[in-house]
């Protein structure tokens, strides 16, 4: 029964978001960053309503470590659809997620995502993928954080504590900007919907934000194997928090 009220709410939100975005488009001509942040807060409110309707109980660890006045690269394991809703609802400042390009085809949702600085990645197009990384680098330089799932897709394995390989190119964003990298772990998000699509069920989810690390503070060896370094850090967080689910 949770699916019906969530579906109704999302339809109403997407329709009503159109006039809101039109007003903010005018405001953006004068204050682009403030307009983007205002839209982010509206999207976060919508995501929090969905999480409430879904009955999702969230245990959050380490969010207090994350400064609100600095653009960073958030890297996380990807278990389920609700990773995005939970992660986005907790961002403190302007943040753009890197999403698969198929989402860009969803009417109204794509407008919301583009307004708040999301980028759309075509996994089959190497040239387009490089351009997305370049756009993300420019976004960080402009003060917008980037949230990315280096696994590249949802982990559909039976053992969610075993992470997929991380794509090294994801970390070019930090290498070129020397921004701080925040490891993020998600536990049990598949229990909300992915395990029983399309039904939505009450679940307890754990999300942890690790200590932010500046790229230049890593050793040469850690920089050389940065994908493996953060994969291992996040893997340890996931395994540790599995007992909290």
């Amino acid at each position: 029964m949770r699916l019906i009220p969530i579906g109704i709410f999302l339809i109403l939100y997407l329709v009503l978001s159109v006039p809101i975005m039109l007003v903010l488009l005018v405001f953006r001509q004068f204050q682009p960053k403030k307009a983007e942040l205002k839209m982010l807060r509206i999207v976060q409110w919508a995501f929090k309503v969905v999480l409430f309707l879904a009955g999702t109980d969230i245990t959050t660890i380490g969010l207090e470590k994350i400064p609100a006045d600095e653009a960073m690269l958030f890297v996380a394991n990807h278990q389920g659809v609700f990773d995005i809703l939970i992660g986005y609802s907790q961002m403190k400042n302007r943040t753009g997620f890197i999403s698969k390009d198929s989402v860009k085809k969803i009417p109204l949702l794509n407008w919301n995502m583009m307004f708040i600085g999301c980028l759309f990645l075509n996994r089959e197009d190497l040239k387009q993928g490089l351009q997305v990384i370049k756009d993300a680098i420019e976004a960080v330089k402009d003060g917008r954080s980037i949230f990315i799932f280096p696994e590249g897709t949802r982990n559909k394995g039976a053992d969610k504590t075993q992470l997929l390989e991380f794509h090294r190119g994801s970390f070019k964003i930090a290498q070129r900007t020397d921004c701080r990298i925040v490891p993020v772990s998600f536990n049990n998000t598949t229990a909300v919907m992915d395990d029983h699509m399309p039904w939505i069920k009450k679940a307890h989810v754990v999300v942890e934000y690790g200590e932010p690390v500046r790229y230049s503070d890593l050793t040469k060896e850690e920089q050389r194997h940065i994908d493996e370094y953060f994969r291992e850090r996040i893997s340890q967080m996931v395994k540790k928090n599995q007992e909290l689910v």
Side-chain angles (χ1 to χ4, degrees), residues 39 58 92 122 193 202:
M39 192 64 206
I58 305 171
K92 298 180 179 180
N122 183 344
M193 185 172 72
K202 185 176 181 179

Side-chain angles (χ1 to χ4, degrees), residues 21 23-40 94 115 142 144:
M21 282 188 287
V23 172
L24 287 176
L25 277 172
V26 177
F27 181 58
R28 191 165 69 174
Q29 302 304 311
F30 307 97
Q31 298 284 347
K33 294 182 180 180
K34 286 186 177 180
E36 183 181 324
L37 185 58
K38 286 181 182 296
M39 192 64 206
L40 171 64
R94 295 189 302 136
F115 200 110
D142 188 48
R144 182 192 304 129

Side-chain angles (χ1 to χ4, degrees), residues 97-105 118-133 135 148 152-153 167:
F97 270 62
I98 294 183
S99 172
K100 58 183 181 180
D101 66 337
S102 58
V103 179
K104 196 175 182 179
K105 300 174 183 177
C118 288
L119 300 171
F120 301 92
L121 177 66
N122 183 344
R123 299 170 188 154
E124 308 301 321
D125 188 337
L126 179 60
K127 184 177 180 180
Q128 190 268 353
L130 291 173
Q131 185 58 52
V132 167
I133 296 299
D135 291 341
I148 193 169
T153 187
H167 293 282

Side-chain angles (χ1 to χ4, degrees), residues 36 40 43-44 47 73-78 80-91 93-100 103 113-114 116-121 132 136 139 144-149 173 184 186 209:
E36 183 181 324
L40 171 64
V43 171
Q44 287 180 317
F47 282 175
L73 176 65
F74 293 85
V75 294
N77 65 310
H78 199 7
V81 173
F82 272 70
D83 297 341
I84 300 170
L85 277 73
I86 295 168
Y88 231 134
S89 67
Q90 296 184 339
M91 293 295 98
N93 211 333
R94 295 189 302 136
T95 306
F97 270 62
I98 294 183
S99 172
K100 58 183 181 180
V103 179
M113 294 180 70
M114 286 187 285
I116 56 179
C118 288
L119 300 171
F120 301 92
L121 177 66
V132 167
R144 182 192 304 129
S145 292
I146 293 294
F147 201 120
I148 193 169
F149 299 102
I173 301 165
V184 184
F186 290 101
Y209 298 84

